[in-house]
Short mmCIF file of all heavy atoms in Angstrom, two decimals:
data_model
loop_
_atom_site.label_atom_id
_atom_site.label_comp_id
_atom_site.label_asym_id
_atom_site.label_seq_id
_atom_site.Cartn_x
_atom_site.Cartn_y
_atom_site.Cartn_z
N MET A 1 -72.04 -8.11 83.48
CA MET A 1 -71.27 -7.27 82.51
C MET A 1 -71.30 -5.82 82.95
O MET A 1 -70.35 -5.16 82.94
CB MET A 1 -71.99 -7.42 81.22
CG MET A 1 -71.52 -6.39 80.13
SD MET A 1 -72.17 -6.80 78.54
CE MET A 1 -71.47 -5.57 77.60
N VAL A 12 -60.28 3.11 85.33
CA VAL A 12 -59.64 3.92 84.30
C VAL A 12 -59.81 5.34 84.61
O VAL A 12 -58.73 6.19 84.47
CB VAL A 12 -60.24 3.52 82.88
CG1 VAL A 12 -59.70 4.46 81.93
CG2 VAL A 12 -59.82 2.14 82.59
N MET A 23 -49.84 15.76 85.45
CA MET A 23 -49.40 16.64 84.37
C MET A 23 -49.79 18.06 84.59
O MET A 23 -48.89 19.03 84.33
CB MET A 23 -50.18 16.21 83.04
CG MET A 23 -49.54 14.89 82.67
SD MET A 23 -50.07 14.30 81.01
CE MET A 23 -51.87 14.24 81.27
N LEU A 27 -47.21 21.24 84.86
CA LEU A 27 -47.32 22.35 83.97
C LEU A 27 -47.38 23.67 84.72
O LEU A 27 -46.76 24.69 84.46
CB LEU A 27 -48.54 22.27 83.15
CG LEU A 27 -48.49 21.30 81.88
CD1 LEU A 27 -49.79 21.05 81.24
CD2 LEU A 27 -47.53 21.81 80.99
N THR A 30 -44.15 24.94 86.14
CA THR A 30 -43.14 25.63 85.21
C THR A 30 -43.68 27.15 85.02
O THR A 30 -42.69 27.97 84.69
CB THR A 30 -43.17 25.04 83.84
OG1 THR A 30 -44.47 25.04 83.31
CG2 THR A 30 -42.66 23.51 84.02
N ARG A 40 -31.56 32.84 85.66
CA ARG A 40 -30.22 33.52 85.67
C ARG A 40 -29.93 34.04 84.29
O ARG A 40 -30.54 33.84 83.39
CB ARG A 40 -29.21 32.42 86.00
CG ARG A 40 -29.07 31.41 84.79
CD ARG A 40 -27.94 30.45 84.96
NE ARG A 40 -27.75 29.56 83.86
CZ ARG A 40 -26.90 28.71 83.74
NH1 ARG A 40 -26.06 28.41 84.72
NH2 ARG A 40 -26.79 27.87 82.68
N LYS A 57 -22.31 35.10 86.00
CA LYS A 57 -23.76 34.60 86.33
C LYS A 57 -24.38 35.46 87.38
O LYS A 57 -23.73 35.82 88.39
CB LYS A 57 -23.59 33.15 86.78
CG LYS A 57 -23.40 32.18 85.73
CD LYS A 57 -23.60 30.84 86.39
CE LYS A 57 -22.79 29.77 85.62
NZ LYS A 57 -22.67 28.55 86.32
N ARG A 87 -17.64 40.47 71.96
CA ARG A 87 -17.26 39.01 71.79
C ARG A 87 -18.08 38.30 72.86
O ARG A 87 -18.28 37.09 72.77
CB ARG A 87 -15.81 38.77 72.23
CG ARG A 87 -14.92 39.28 71.06
CD ARG A 87 -13.42 39.54 71.68
NE ARG A 87 -12.68 39.56 70.44
CZ ARG A 87 -11.83 38.61 70.25
NH1 ARG A 87 -11.68 37.62 71.01
NH2 ARG A 87 -11.02 38.61 69.23
N GLU A 89 -21.16 36.82 74.92
CA GLU A 89 -22.60 36.35 74.63
C GLU A 89 -23.37 36.07 75.95
O GLU A 89 -22.90 35.37 76.78
CB GLU A 89 -22.39 35.08 73.91
CG GLU A 89 -23.69 34.46 73.33
CD GLU A 89 -23.68 33.16 72.74
OE1 GLU A 89 -22.89 33.02 71.84
OE2 GLU A 89 -24.34 32.22 73.32
N GLU A 94 -34.17 30.14 82.19
CA GLU A 94 -35.08 29.87 83.19
C GLU A 94 -35.10 28.35 83.46
O GLU A 94 -34.94 27.57 82.52
CB GLU A 94 -36.47 30.22 82.92
CG GLU A 94 -36.84 31.59 83.15
CD GLU A 94 -38.21 31.86 82.92
OE1 GLU A 94 -39.06 30.85 82.87
OE2 GLU A 94 -38.53 33.06 82.62
N ARG A 95 -35.35 27.80 84.70
CA ARG A 95 -35.58 26.45 84.89
C ARG A 95 -36.56 26.29 85.96
O ARG A 95 -36.85 27.38 86.64
CB ARG A 95 -34.27 25.73 85.31
CG ARG A 95 -33.93 26.19 86.66
CD ARG A 95 -32.80 25.31 87.22
NE ARG A 95 -32.42 25.78 88.59
CZ ARG A 95 -31.45 25.20 89.23
NH1 ARG A 95 -30.70 24.30 88.76
NH2 ARG A 95 -31.23 25.63 90.47
N TYR A 107 -40.06 9.53 90.94
CA TYR A 107 -39.41 8.36 90.37
C TYR A 107 -38.84 7.45 91.31
O TYR A 107 -38.83 6.26 91.29
CB TYR A 107 -38.33 8.92 89.35
CG TYR A 107 -37.55 7.79 88.58
CD1 TYR A 107 -38.10 7.11 87.54
CD2 TYR A 107 -36.29 7.40 89.06
CE1 TYR A 107 -37.43 6.08 87.00
CE2 TYR A 107 -35.62 6.45 88.49
CZ TYR A 107 -36.15 5.75 87.46
OH TYR A 107 -35.49 4.72 86.82
N THR A 154 -61.37 -23.86 77.51
CA THR A 154 -62.33 -22.82 77.43
C THR A 154 -63.41 -22.86 78.53
O THR A 154 -63.81 -22.00 79.20
CB THR A 154 -63.11 -22.89 76.04
OG1 THR A 154 -62.08 -23.16 75.07
CG2 THR A 154 -64.00 -21.68 75.79
N HIS A 155 -63.69 -24.23 78.92
CA HIS A 155 -64.61 -24.43 80.02
C HIS A 155 -64.05 -23.93 81.29
O HIS A 155 -64.75 -23.20 81.95
CB HIS A 155 -64.86 -25.92 80.12
CG HIS A 155 -65.23 -26.45 81.43
ND1 HIS A 155 -66.26 -25.98 82.13
CD2 HIS A 155 -64.56 -27.32 82.24
CE1 HIS A 155 -66.31 -26.57 83.28
NE2 HIS A 155 -65.23 -27.42 83.42
N TRP A 178 -52.74 -12.00 87.18
CA TRP A 178 -51.56 -11.24 86.76
C TRP A 178 -50.41 -12.06 86.80
O TRP A 178 -49.47 -12.08 85.92
CB TRP A 178 -51.56 -9.90 87.52
CG TRP A 178 -50.28 -9.08 87.21
CD1 TRP A 178 -49.93 -8.50 86.15
CD2 TRP A 178 -49.19 -8.93 88.09
NE1 TRP A 178 -48.74 -7.95 86.24
CE2 TRP A 178 -48.27 -8.19 87.51
CE3 TRP A 178 -48.86 -9.42 89.45
CZ2 TRP A 178 -47.07 -7.83 88.09
CZ3 TRP A 178 -47.66 -9.09 89.97
CH2 TRP A 178 -46.81 -8.32 89.28
N GLN A 181 -50.08 -14.41 83.99
CA GLN A 181 -49.76 -13.73 82.76
C GLN A 181 -48.37 -13.49 82.74
O GLN A 181 -47.69 -13.57 81.66
CB GLN A 181 -50.45 -12.33 82.58
CG GLN A 181 -51.90 -12.46 81.97
CD GLN A 181 -52.51 -11.16 82.24
OE1 GLN A 181 -51.86 -10.21 82.38
NE2 GLN A 181 -53.96 -11.31 82.29
N ARG A 186 -42.97 -14.50 80.70
CA ARG A 186 -41.58 -14.82 80.99
C ARG A 186 -41.14 -16.03 80.28
O ARG A 186 -40.07 -16.11 79.74
CB ARG A 186 -41.36 -14.95 82.45
CG ARG A 186 -40.01 -14.97 82.92
CD ARG A 186 -39.95 -15.04 84.46
NE ARG A 186 -40.68 -14.05 85.07
CZ ARG A 186 -41.25 -14.21 86.32
NH1 ARG A 186 -41.18 -15.30 86.91
NH2 ARG A 186 -41.87 -13.17 86.89
N HIS A 193 -37.67 -18.14 74.16
CA HIS A 193 -37.10 -17.30 73.17
C HIS A 193 -37.99 -17.09 71.97
O HIS A 193 -37.59 -17.10 70.80
CB HIS A 193 -35.67 -17.51 72.71
CG HIS A 193 -34.68 -17.20 73.91
ND1 HIS A 193 -34.25 -16.11 74.17
CD2 HIS A 193 -34.21 -18.14 74.87
CE1 HIS A 193 -33.47 -16.24 75.18
NE2 HIS A 193 -33.40 -17.45 75.62
N VAL A 195 -40.72 -14.82 71.55
CA VAL A 195 -40.94 -13.33 71.05
C VAL A 195 -39.71 -12.70 71.59
O VAL A 195 -39.00 -13.00 72.56
CB VAL A 195 -42.17 -12.94 71.87
CG1 VAL A 195 -42.69 -11.66 71.41
CG2 VAL A 195 -43.24 -13.99 71.84
N LEU A 196 -39.46 -11.57 71.04
CA LEU A 196 -38.34 -10.57 71.50
C LEU A 196 -37.03 -11.35 71.66
O LEU A 196 -36.57 -11.58 72.79
CB LEU A 196 -38.83 -10.04 72.79
CG LEU A 196 -39.87 -9.00 72.67
CD1 LEU A 196 -40.44 -8.83 74.13
CD2 LEU A 196 -39.36 -7.73 72.29
N SER A 197 -36.36 -11.60 70.57
CA SER A 197 -35.17 -12.33 70.50
C SER A 197 -34.25 -12.06 71.70
O SER A 197 -33.74 -10.92 71.86
CB SER A 197 -34.45 -12.08 69.22
OG SER A 197 -34.27 -10.63 69.20
N ASP B 38 -55.01 -7.03 79.41
CA ASP B 38 -54.16 -7.93 80.02
C ASP B 38 -54.89 -9.33 80.20
O ASP B 38 -54.41 -10.37 80.35
CB ASP B 38 -53.84 -7.56 81.46
CG ASP B 38 -52.72 -6.49 81.33
OD1 ASP B 38 -51.96 -6.56 80.54
OD2 ASP B 38 -52.75 -5.54 82.18
N SER B 48 -70.05 -11.13 81.56
CA SER B 48 -70.97 -10.01 81.45
C SER B 48 -72.10 -10.24 80.61
O SER B 48 -73.16 -9.79 80.77
CB SER B 48 -70.19 -8.64 81.19
OG SER B 48 -69.37 -8.91 80.07
N LEU B 132 -50.68 14.49 75.59
CA LEU B 132 -50.37 15.02 76.95
C LEU B 132 -49.76 13.88 77.86
O LEU B 132 -48.75 14.20 78.46
CB LEU B 132 -51.74 15.36 77.65
CG LEU B 132 -52.39 16.59 77.21
CD1 LEU B 132 -53.77 16.77 77.89
CD2 LEU B 132 -51.51 17.83 77.37
N HIS B 166 -27.21 21.28 86.71
CA HIS B 166 -28.14 22.10 87.43
C HIS B 166 -27.56 22.50 88.86
O HIS B 166 -27.96 23.41 89.47
CB HIS B 166 -29.37 21.43 87.61
CG HIS B 166 -30.26 21.60 86.27
ND1 HIS B 166 -30.93 22.68 86.12
CD2 HIS B 166 -30.37 20.82 85.25
CE1 HIS B 166 -31.57 22.64 84.87
NE2 HIS B 166 -31.31 21.52 84.38
N CYS B 168 -24.46 23.35 89.42
CA CYS B 168 -23.57 24.39 89.24
C CYS B 168 -24.26 25.53 88.49
O CYS B 168 -23.53 26.40 87.90
CB CYS B 168 -22.38 24.06 88.40
SG CYS B 168 -21.42 22.72 89.32
N TRP B 169 -25.60 25.57 88.46
CA TRP B 169 -26.18 26.46 87.59
C TRP B 169 -26.18 27.90 88.03
O TRP B 169 -25.94 28.88 87.30
CB TRP B 169 -27.86 26.14 87.61
CG TRP B 169 -28.54 26.39 86.37
CD1 TRP B 169 -28.33 25.86 85.11
CD2 TRP B 169 -29.62 27.38 86.32
NE1 TRP B 169 -29.33 26.31 84.30
CE2 TRP B 169 -30.02 27.31 84.97
CE3 TRP B 169 -30.17 28.31 87.16
CZ2 TRP B 169 -31.07 28.17 84.56
CZ3 TRP B 169 -31.26 29.02 86.67
CH2 TRP B 169 -31.70 28.88 85.43
N ASN B 172 -21.03 30.85 91.09
CA ASN B 172 -20.07 31.80 90.38
C ASN B 172 -18.72 31.30 90.44
O ASN B 172 -17.78 32.01 89.92
CB ASN B 172 -20.20 33.03 91.12
CG ASN B 172 -21.16 34.02 90.53
OD1 ASN B 172 -21.36 33.93 89.29
ND2 ASN B 172 -21.82 34.80 91.30
N ARG B 225 -37.58 -8.75 84.42
CA ARG B 225 -37.88 -10.23 84.47
C ARG B 225 -38.92 -10.42 85.50
O ARG B 225 -39.74 -11.35 85.26
CB ARG B 225 -36.59 -10.84 84.97
CG ARG B 225 -36.62 -12.35 84.88
CD ARG B 225 -35.16 -12.95 84.94
NE ARG B 225 -35.38 -14.25 84.60
CZ ARG B 225 -35.80 -15.20 85.35
NH1 ARG B 225 -36.14 -14.94 86.53
NH2 ARG B 225 -35.85 -16.49 84.95
N TRP B 255 -48.68 -2.63 82.93
CA TRP B 255 -47.45 -3.01 83.59
C TRP B 255 -46.19 -2.92 82.72
O TRP B 255 -45.17 -2.40 83.14
CB TRP B 255 -47.53 -4.52 84.09
CG TRP B 255 -48.17 -4.62 85.38
CD1 TRP B 255 -49.46 -4.91 85.60
CD2 TRP B 255 -47.46 -4.26 86.66
NE1 TRP B 255 -49.61 -4.87 87.03
CE2 TRP B 255 -48.49 -4.52 87.63
CE3 TRP B 255 -46.27 -3.99 87.10
CZ2 TRP B 255 -48.25 -4.42 88.96
CZ3 TRP B 255 -45.92 -3.90 88.39
CH2 TRP B 255 -46.92 -3.94 89.41
N ILE B 262 -39.68 3.01 83.79
CA ILE B 262 -38.69 2.88 85.00
C ILE B 262 -37.38 2.33 84.45
O ILE B 262 -36.34 2.89 84.77
CB ILE B 262 -39.36 2.17 86.11
CG1 ILE B 262 -40.64 2.62 86.57
CG2 ILE B 262 -38.37 2.09 87.31
CD1 ILE B 262 -40.66 3.64 87.58
N LEU B 294 -60.85 4.00 77.22
CA LEU B 294 -61.85 4.92 77.63
C LEU B 294 -62.98 5.14 76.62
O LEU B 294 -64.01 5.72 76.87
CB LEU B 294 -61.22 6.34 77.82
CG LEU B 294 -60.15 6.33 78.96
CD1 LEU B 294 -59.50 7.64 78.92
CD2 LEU B 294 -60.74 5.93 80.27
N SER B 360 -43.29 22.49 77.77
CA SER B 360 -43.68 23.12 79.03
C SER B 360 -43.05 22.61 80.22
O SER B 360 -42.77 23.31 81.18
CB SER B 360 -45.20 22.97 79.23
OG SER B 360 -45.89 23.03 78.03
N GLY B 365 -34.11 23.05 80.72
CA GLY B 365 -33.97 24.36 81.35
C GLY B 365 -33.59 25.49 80.39
O GLY B 365 -33.20 26.58 80.75
N LYS B 414 -30.69 -16.82 71.08
CA LYS B 414 -31.90 -17.56 70.99
C LYS B 414 -31.73 -19.04 71.10
O LYS B 414 -32.48 -19.76 71.65
CB LYS B 414 -32.63 -17.24 69.69
CG LYS B 414 -33.70 -16.13 69.77
CD LYS B 414 -34.19 -15.94 68.42
CE LYS B 414 -35.51 -16.69 68.13
NZ LYS B 414 -36.68 -15.80 68.16
N GLY B 419 -28.59 -17.75 76.03
CA GLY B 419 -29.94 -17.09 76.43
C GLY B 419 -30.51 -17.65 77.73
O GLY B 419 -31.47 -17.12 78.05
N LEU B 461 -16.30 30.95 71.96
CA LEU B 461 -16.67 30.79 73.34
C LEU B 461 -16.40 29.36 73.84
O LEU B 461 -16.74 29.04 74.97
CB LEU B 461 -18.19 31.10 73.47
CG LEU B 461 -18.64 32.45 72.91
CD1 LEU B 461 -20.14 32.48 72.96
CD2 LEU B 461 -18.07 33.49 73.86
N LYS B 476 -8.18 39.34 66.08
CA LYS B 476 -9.35 39.55 65.10
C LYS B 476 -10.59 39.83 66.05
O LYS B 476 -10.77 39.11 66.88
CB LYS B 476 -9.58 38.18 64.43
CG LYS B 476 -8.88 38.31 62.98
CD LYS B 476 -9.37 37.13 62.25
CE LYS B 476 -10.45 37.31 61.28
NZ LYS B 476 -10.29 38.50 60.34
N LYS B 515 -31.97 -8.00 77.40
CA LYS B 515 -33.22 -7.95 78.03
C LYS B 515 -33.47 -6.74 78.96
O LYS B 515 -33.97 -6.86 80.03
CB LYS B 515 -33.29 -9.25 78.95
CG LYS B 515 -33.23 -10.45 78.11
CD LYS B 515 -34.49 -10.71 77.35
CE LYS B 515 -34.40 -11.97 76.49
NZ LYS B 515 -34.39 -11.76 75.09
N ASN B 631 -37.46 -13.42 64.57
CA ASN B 631 -38.54 -13.83 65.46
C ASN B 631 -39.69 -14.66 64.80
O ASN B 631 -40.47 -15.25 65.44
CB ASN B 631 -39.14 -12.78 66.26
CG ASN B 631 -38.23 -12.22 67.31
OD1 ASN B 631 -37.55 -13.01 67.91
ND2 ASN B 631 -38.26 -10.87 67.41
N TYR B 633 -42.17 -13.52 63.04
CA TYR B 633 -43.49 -12.88 63.03
C TYR B 633 -44.23 -12.95 61.80
O TYR B 633 -43.49 -12.90 60.66
CB TYR B 633 -43.46 -11.44 63.50
CG TYR B 633 -42.85 -11.18 64.91
CD1 TYR B 633 -42.06 -10.26 65.10
CD2 TYR B 633 -43.26 -12.00 65.90
CE1 TYR B 633 -41.60 -10.00 66.41
CE2 TYR B 633 -42.76 -11.86 67.29
CZ TYR B 633 -41.91 -10.76 67.45
OH TYR B 633 -41.49 -10.54 68.59
N TYR B 717 -70.71 -29.03 79.15
CA TYR B 717 -69.41 -28.76 79.82
C TYR B 717 -69.60 -27.86 81.03
O TYR B 717 -68.83 -27.28 81.61
CB TYR B 717 -68.50 -27.95 78.83
CG TYR B 717 -68.11 -28.90 77.69
CD1 TYR B 717 -68.72 -28.98 76.52
CD2 TYR B 717 -67.02 -29.79 77.96
CE1 TYR B 717 -68.39 -29.88 75.65
CE2 TYR B 717 -66.69 -30.75 77.03
CZ TYR B 717 -67.43 -30.86 75.78
OH TYR B 717 -66.88 -31.63 74.90
#
Side-chain angles (χ1 to χ4, degrees):
Chain A
M1 167 175 182
V12 169
M23 291 187 303
L27 283 172
T30 60
R40 72 171 182 184
K57 283 186 209 167
R87 292 157 158 254
E89 186 186 298
E94 272 181 27
R95 71 167 181 187
Y107 177 78
T154 314
H155 151 63
W178 170 71
Q181 270 166 31
R186 198 178 299 149
H193 290 279
V195 193
L196 285 165
S197 56
Chain B
D38 284 326
S48 49
L132 287 176
H166 280 278
C168 300
W169 211 66
N172 267 326
R225 191 161 192 283
W255 275 98
I262 306 267
L294 299 175
S360 325
K414 269 174 93 107
L461 307 171
K476 263 189 100 55
K515 299 290 179 244
N631 285 322
Y633 297 139
Y717 291 98

